[in-house]
Amino acid sequence: METIKIGMVGYKFMGKAHSHAYRDLPLFFPKSIHPEMKVICGRNPEGVAEAAKQCGWKEYTTDWRGLLERDDIDLIDINAPSDVHKEITIAAVQAGKHVFCEKPLALTLKDAREMLEAVEAAGVKHMVGFNYRFAPAVMLAKKLIEEGRLGDIYHFRAWFLQDWLIDPNFPLAWRLQKDIAGSGSHGDLGAHLIDMAHYLIGDITEVIGMSDTFIKERPLPTNMTGLSATVSDNAEKGEVTVDDATLFLARFDNGALGSFEATRFASGHRCTNSFEINGSKGSVIFDFERMNELQVYFTDDRADVQGFRRVLATDPAHAFAEAWWPPGHTIGYEHTFIHEVVELMAAFREDRQPVPNFRDGVKCQEVLEAVDLSIEKRQWIKISDM
Amino acid sequence: METIKIGMVGYKFMGKAHSHAYRDLPLFFPKSIHPEMKVICGRNPEGVAEAAKQCGWKEYTTDWRGLLERDDIDLIDINAPSDVHKEITIAAVQAGKHVFCEKPLALTLKDAREMLEAVEAAGVKHMVGFNYRFAPAVMLAKKLIEEGRLGDIYHFRAWFLQDWLIDPNFPLAWRLQKDIAGSGSHGDLGAHLIDMAHYLIGDITEVIGMSDTFIKERPLPTNMTGLSATVSDNAEKGEVTVDDATLFLARFDNGALGSFEATRFASGHRCTNSFEINGSKGSVIFDFERMNELQVYFTDDRADVQGFRRVLATDPAHAFAEAWWPPGHTIGYEHTFIHEVVELMAAFREDRQPVPNFRDGVKCQEVLEAVDLSIEKRQWIKISDM
Amino acid sequence: METIKIGMVGYKFMGKAHSHAYRDLPLFFPKSIHPEMKVICGRNPEGVAEAAKQCGWKEYTTDWRGLLERDDIDLIDINAPSDVHKEITIAAVQAGKHVFCEKPLALTLKDAREMLEAVEAAGVKHMVGFNYRFAPAVMLAKKLIEEGRLGDIYHFRAWFLQDWLIDPNFPLAWRLQKDIAGSGSHGDLGAHLIDMAHYLIGDITEVIGMSDTFIKERPLPTNMTGLSATVSDNAEKGEVTVDDATLFLARFDNGALGSFEATRFASGHRCTNSFEINGSKGSVIFDFERMNELQVYFTDDRADVQGFRRVLATDPAHAFAEAWWPPGHTIGYEHTFIHEVVELMAAFREDRQPVPNFRDGVKCQEVLEAVDLSIEKRQWIKISDM
Amino acid sequence: METIKIGMVGYKFMGKAHSHAYRDLPLFFPKSIHPEMKVICGRNPEGVAEAAKQCGWKEYTTDWRGLLERDDIDLIDINAPSDVHKEITIAAVQAGKHVFCEKPLALTLKDAREMLEAVEAAGVKHMVGFNYRFAPAVMLAKKLIEEGRLGDIYHFRAWFLQDWLIDPNFPLAWRLQKDIAGSGSHGDLGAHLIDMAHYLIGDITEVIGMSDTFIKERPLPTNMTGLSATVSDNAEKGEVTVDDATLFLARFDNGALGSFEATRFASGHRCTNSFEINGSKGSVIFDFERMNELQVYFTDDRADVQGFRRVLATDPAHAFAEAWWPPGHTIGYEHTFIHEVVELMAAFREDRQPVPNFRDGVKCQEVLEAVDLSIEKRQWIKISDM
C-alpha cells in the first residue's frame, strides 16, 4: 500500500487543520505512507468548492453517502459538527472504510459506544482526534512517566482556560447550544484534559464536579463562521444551554488525585491548555501557549541545583523533532495534527490500530458523562457505574 | 499609649518570625506605636532562655499563667503548638489581655468558636496570624478587586504546594500527628488558601473535598526541631494520622467557582502558595515564591497589547513599599509578619479590631471542617450547616 | 498575473524552508498571488531529484544556467551556499529574472554592492531573506515604535545565542570555514541582529567590536549535511577560520545606543535570537525561542499596575494572525518564511519592491564589515566610511 | 573579642541598610561576633538624632573626627556621600580604626589607591560594600564556577537596568552632579557589575566603552532626600554632568569575553541587576529582581531533559539559607547587607581581611576609569596601563 486515499467530511476549522496535515506530511515525513487528498465533502456547495481549491483536494462533493460508495476511498475523515459524527461513522465503516473522527466522538456516551461497537465489528482502523497528545513536549512527559523517572504519581492537575466568552455581547454561537454542541467548556476543553489524563496517568475511577453558566442569555447571531460571529444592535437574545465552566475532582486507579478545570471565562488566557504532574521522583508542567516547552523537575538532582528545568522539546532527543528544524526552532499548533496523521499512517504500515482510537474516545466520554451525572446528583460517581 | 507591651508564648519557627517583626518595626515604621518585647515564654528553660537572648526579649519564663498575672503586659502573642491555643487564649482574655494568636486558632471549630466568644465577651483586641494577606502584591490584588478593576469574579483557584514529605523516610514529625497538629496539609496550608479566598473574594457557601495520605507509615523520629528531624536506621514506624494532600471545590456567595489544593507531595515546589482570580474585566495571579510580583491582566487594554503584566509591587504606589527600599529592591517572607504587626499596632492607635481577627479565624475553621465532613460523607456540605 | 513561477537554486535547510512556504501559502493566504513551484536546481542529481519529489517541485535540474534561459520562470530563489550568491544573482537578473536571495547576500560588501547595482540596473524585483522580521511579535514591536508608543528610543540591545559548537569535537563543518561561509557567528547570527536593528531602529552610524575563536582546531568531518556532521575517531584536525563569537557596540543615527552579541558558545541556548528596546514611553523584549510573545511595557500605565505585559501575538489585532488559528494557538519558525513569501507576492501584485530587499542586504553587509574592520584596527569605525 | 563596636558615618539610604544589618545579625546568626551599635554620625543634628533613635544607635554625633578619638570604637562604617570617603577613611585608619566603606571607594582611582595604601599601612581590616555578592543565588553561581561545574568560561554579560530618570522633569539630584557623585550610571550601577565580574570570572585585561547623557538639562530641585526629590513649576534648569548610560566590552584574563551595560533609562526595569555566564559545561543567569533564583544549565544533563533550571537558593544546600526560613521562603534586598556583615564579623573572628575589601574596591575603580578613558580616547584601554 503506497498511499491512503482520503475522503473528508467537514471543511471548517478542523477541516483546514486536517487538510494542512495531509498536505505537509510528505514534505517532512517522506518515509511515511502518504495520504492522498481525494475528495472533500460539505453541505454548502460554494463553500466546499472553495475549500477544495484552497486546500488542494482533487474533488469535492456535497453527498457524503455517495462518498462511501466509491472504491477509490480508503479512509473517511470526519470533522463535521459533533451531532453528525455517529451517523457518518457507522455508515462509513459498514461500507468498509477506515475512519478518523474528530473529538468528541458523539454527543452521548451511548452513541459513542455504538460507534465503537460498529468500528470493531467492521474490523477497520479507527482514530479519534485528540491532537494535543502529539505535542513533542507532551510526548516527553509521557516518556518520562513510562521510564519511571517521575516515580509514583501523586497528583495530576489540568486546566484549560480560554476567555473568548468574557464579553456578554458575544453572540449565541452553535458552540453555546446543547443540541448541536452537546456540551460547552466541559465537552470542548475538558475532553482534551481527560484524554491527556488517560494518556499520561491512566484510568480514572471516580469523579465529582461543579459547573456554571455565568451569562445565561446572549444575543442571537446574524452570521457565524468558526469561532467568530457577528451580532446586530438590538438583537434578540436566546438562552445559553451549555456550561461556561466545569471543574471536577477525580481519583485515579493508581491512587493519584486529579483536579480538572475547563472554562471560557478566564480573562487573559487565550488557550492555556495546561497540566502538572507530581510524582515521587519528579514533576512536569506543560502549557500549550508555550507548547514547545516542558518544565521538568527531578528529586535526585544535586541538592544545590534542584529546580524546574525549562526543556525546549526541539532537540533530536525529542519525538518528531528531527523531522523539523534545528534545535530551538519551534513548531506550532498545526504540527500536532501532522504528527497525528503520522501516527495514523504508521498504523496502516504496521497494520495495527492507531492511538488514540475509538476506545480512547469512549473512555473520555465515560468521564465526561460521569462528571455531568455527579453535578446533577451532587455526589461522587464511579466510572465503572457508567 | 506609647508602646504595647508583649508577652509571647512560643519560641520556635513562628516565635522567631514574630520576634523579628517586633524588633524591626520601629526601624521601618517609626510612626507606628512600638511593641515592647517584655517576656518570652516556653516550656524548655534552656531553650526559652536562649531564644530570649537571641531575639532580644527582656525576660523569659516557663510559666505562662504567671505571665497573665503581670500588670506590665498588654498583649499575649500565642504561637505555641495549636493544641494549646484555646487554653491560653481563654485564660489570657479573662485576665484582660489582648491576644494575637497564630493560625489555626484551634484544633476544632467548636474550640475556635469558644475562643471567639471569649475574646468578644472580654472586649479585648484579637488578631489571627494569616500573614500572607500582608504581602504587598496580595494587597494590590485586593485593591484591584475592591476598585472593581477585575469586574465580576468568576473564578478563584488556589494551590499551596510543598514537597518536604516526598521522601518516605522523612520521620513522623508532630505535624504528621493528628492529636497535636489537628490536621495535615489541609489545616496547615489549606487554611492559608481559605483565608486568602475570604479576604479576596468573600464568603464560601458550599464545598466538597477529597483527601489522601500517600505514605501511611513513617519512621519514628529521634530528634526534632521545627520542620527538620533526624531518624535512625531501623527506626520503628508509626502511623501518619493526617492528610498528605487535600483538594476541594467551592462555591462562593457571589457566584464565583473555587478550586483549592493543598499538598506536601508536589515535588519541585518548596512553597508555591498561589492563587489566580478571573473576573469579567481582568485577572490576577500570585505565587509566593515570587512574592513581590503580581501578574495583572485587563480586558480593556488595547487589542494589540493585551497580556498579563508582571507588576513588581515595590513602587510607592504599593502598600507598605515606601517604608522599605527603592523600587525593584525586593522584600521577603519575614516582611509579611512586620506588616501584620503594623496592622496590629494600628488597631491600638485607632481603637478598632485588627484584621484578620478571630472572626476570620472561625470562618476559616468552618470551611476546614466542612471540607473534612464532605470527605467523610462524600457529598457537598453547606457552610451554613456547620 | 495569476501566479509567479519559481526556479529555486539550493535544496538543503533553506531550500526546504522556502519550498514549504511556497507550498503552504495558497492554503492560508488564498487571496495572495500564488507561487508556482516549477523547477528546483542543485549540484547533486540524486539529492535534487529526491528534494523535488519530497517538496513538490514539478521538475529538477543540475544546470542553473539553463534555468535562467527558460521563459516559464519568473523568479529565481537562491538559497545555495553564500559563495555562489553573487554569480547566480547577476546572471539571473541579466536574464530578466526577479530574485529572492537568502542572507547574507554575499561574502563581501563589495560583492553585495555589485549585486545591488545589477538588480537595480536590470529593473527587477529583489528580496533578501531576513525572515525574522516576519514573526508577528516582531511586527508588533515595529508597529508600536512607528506609532510612537515607545517614544524616543534610548537603547537597543540584541543577542543571538546558540550552543551547537560547545562540544570541541564537533567537526570542522563548512560553516566554520571562512572561504565558504564568509564569516562565523557574526555573519550567520549577527547579520540577523543587524537587520533587526535597521528594521526597528534605523541606521547605525558607527561601531566597535570584539571577536574570538574559542576552539581553534576541530576534527575534519567525514560526512556532513545541514547542521549535522559525523567525525571518525582519531580524525585529523583543521583550523577553524571563522569567529565563534562577535560582540559590538553601536551608535544609531537617532541617538540610541546599541549592543550586539552573536555566539555559538552560549550553552543552554539553542536559538535565543533576542532583542530589547527601551524608549521614553515604553519598552519591548523579544525572544525567538518564545516567538509568539512580545513583552511590552508602557510608562503611562497606572502607577500601581506598571509591568511588562506578556502579549501573545496571535490575536486578530496582530499581523498575519487571522490567517492562522484562533487566539492562543501558536505558530512556529517556518511561518516566518510563509509571511516572507506573502510579502514577496504582494510586491508583485502592488508592483513595488519587496521589503527587505537588496538595499537592506547591502546595509547589513556594511555594518558586518565595519565591525570586522573595527576589530582589526581596534578602533571605532564609521559606517559612512565603508 | 565578644563584640565589634561600631561608629557609623552617614545615615541615609545606606545608613539605614547597614543599621538594619547590625541590628538583625544577632537574631539570625547568634554564633557570629556581634556588632555593637555605639555611635551614629551625620552633619544634620536633627536628622542624625532621629536616625539614632529609629535605628537603635546608643549615641549620635555630628563630629566624625571626635568619633575617631574614642577608645570604645573598633570600626568606622563609612556610608556618607562618596566625595568624603577618602578623608574619613584615611583619618580613621590613622587613628587605628578598622573601616567598612560603601562603594565606590572614592571619586577617582588615584584617591582609591591612596586609601588602599593607607589601610594597608595601618594594618587594619578593611571592607568595601559590594553587597550583591552576598545574595545566596550569586554565591551559588560562584560555587558552581569554583567547582568547575561550568567548565571553561566563554562569556560574561552583565546589565544593570533602572528607569528612575526616564521622566525628563525628574530634578537634577546630587547623583546627577559629577562633582559630588563622581559618575552617573557607570559608577553607581556599573561598579556593581564590574565587582561581580571580578568576583565570578576574574581579572579584566582591556575595555572599550560608550556613554551618553540623554537628557542634558534638568530642573533644579527644591528639596531632596535619598532617591526622591521635588521640583517646583518653572524651576530653572541645570546641566546634567554625569552619564545616563554607559556600555562597554571587555576581555578577561582567562579569555572570556565580557559585555557590560548600566543605564537609568531602561523603562520597565526598576532594578534589573543581572548577569549571565556561559561556560563549556554550563551556564547561569541571575536577575536581582528575582534575587532568590539562579537559572542553571548543565551540558551533561541527559539529552532529553536539558534546560535551564530555576533554582530557588533557599535550601539548606545554599549559602546562609539555614539561618533564615524553610525552603521556598524568600529573602530580600536588605539580607545582602546582613550577610555582608556576617563576613565582616567572621574576618574579625578568623583574623583575616574580609572580602571584598579595598583591593577589590581599587580593582573596580581601575576598570571604571579605564572605561572612561576608552570613551574619551575612542580606543581600547588596557587595565595594566591604568
Side-chain angles (χ1 to χ4, degrees), chain A residues 20 23-24 27 54 293, chain C residues 20 23-24 27 54 290:
Chain A
H20 175 260
R23 190 178 171 113
D24 264 22
L27 176 48
Q54 182 177 344
E293 302 179 20
Chain C
H20 175 260
R23 190 177 170 113
D24 263 22
L27 176 48
Q54 182 176 346
R290 288 173 172 170

Side-chain angles (χ1 to χ4, degrees), chain A residues 323-336:
Chain A
W324 301 104
W325 313 104
H329 295 67
T330 57
I331 58 173
Y333 169 66
E334 70 211 37
H335 296 74
T336 59

Side-chain angles (χ1 to χ4, degrees), chain B residues 13 16 20 334, chain D residues 24 28-29 136 319-326 329 331 335 338-339:
Chain B
F13 178 10
K16 197 170 172 184
H20 176 260
E334 69 211 35
Chain D
D24 264 22
F28 295 102
F29 297 89
F320 294 116
E322 279 196 298
W324 300 104
W325 313 104
H329 295 68
I331 59 173
H335 296 74
I338 302 176
H339 299 166

Side-chain angles (χ1 to χ4, degrees), chain A residues 140 143-144 147 149 295-296 298 301-312 315 317-318, chain D residues 140 143-144 147 149 295-296 298 301-312 315 317-318:
Chain A
L140 174 57
K143 181 184 167 207
L144 295 176
E147 292 179 359
R149 288 203 267 169
Q295 308 285 335
V296 180
F298 295 118
D301 276 341
R302 268 188 55 158
D304 59 353
V305 288
Q306 297 191 341
F308 276 93
R309 307 171 185 191
R310 172 187 167 256
V311 178
L312 206 53
D315 280 356
H318 301 123
Chain D
L140 173 58
K143 182 184 166 205
L144 295 176
E147 292 179 359
R149 287 202 268 169
Q295 308 284 336
V296 180
F298 296 117
D301 276 341
R302 268 187 56 157
D304 59 353
V305 288
Q306 297 191 341
F308 276 93
R309 306 171 186 190
R310 173 186 167 256
V311 178
L312 206 54
D315 280 356
H318 302 123

Side-chain angles (χ1 to χ4, degrees), chain B residues 20 23-24 27 54 290, chain D residues 20 23-24 27 54 293:
Chain B
H20 176 260
R23 189 178 170 111
D24 264 21
L27 177 48
Q54 182 176 344
R290 289 175 171 168
Chain D
H20 175 260
R23 190 178 169 113
D24 264 22
L27 176 48
Q54 183 176 344
E293 301 179 20

Side-chain angles (χ1 to χ4, degrees), chain B residues 148-305:
Chain B
R149 287 203 267 169
L150 301 191
D152 297 328
I153 304 302
Y154 296 127
H155 289 288
F156 176 81
R157 68 189 70 86
W159 55 104
F160 203 144
L161 311 180
Q162 296 189 339
D163 65 358
W164 56 282
L165 288 185
I166 207 82
D167 178 359
N169 289 319
F170 186 93
L172 191 67
W174 71 264
R175 283 173 183 270
L176 305 185
Q177 300 173 32
K178 191 181 177 67
D179 51 348
I180 308 177
S183 177
S185 65
H186 186 44
D188 183 22
L189 310 179
H192 282 296
L193 302 180
I194 293 165
D195 181 66
M196 199 65 94
H198 284 143
Y199 175 55
L200 295 172
I201 311 296
D203 285 355
I204 291 169
T205 53
E206 57 177 358
V207 294
I208 187 155
M210 171 173 61
S211 182
D212 210 341
T213 303
F214 299 116
I215 304 292
K216 316 284 191 209
E217 289 196 323
R218 289 181 175 275
L220 296 170
T222 51
N223 188 14
M224 186 159 38
T225 57
L227 290 180
S228 68
T230 56
V231 60
S232 62
D233 290 349
N234 305 318
E236 275 189 74
K237 291 195 169 186
E239 191 191 355
V240 178
T241 47
V242 300
D243 58 296
D244 286 337
T246 295
L247 290 77
F248 66 98
L249 302 176
R251 195 171 283 271
F252 287 87
D253 194 40
N254 68 2
L257 307 184
S259 166
F260 296 75
E261 177 166 1
T263 178
R264 293 158 168 173
F265 275 73
S267 38
H269 294 277
R270 298 297 190 265
C271 198
T272 300
N273 176 2
S274 286
F275 62 80
E276 173 163 356
I277 299 167
N278 305 127
S280 58
K281 295 186 181 169
S283 292
V284 294
I285 306 174
F286 175 78
D287 174 2
F288 175 70
E289 285 190 357
R290 289 175 171 168
M291 64 168 279
N292 293 275
E293 302 180 20
L294 188 73
Q295 308 285 334
V296 181
Y297 177 92
F298 295 119
T299 58
D300 61 1
D301 276 340
R302 270 187 54 157
D304 59 353
V305 288

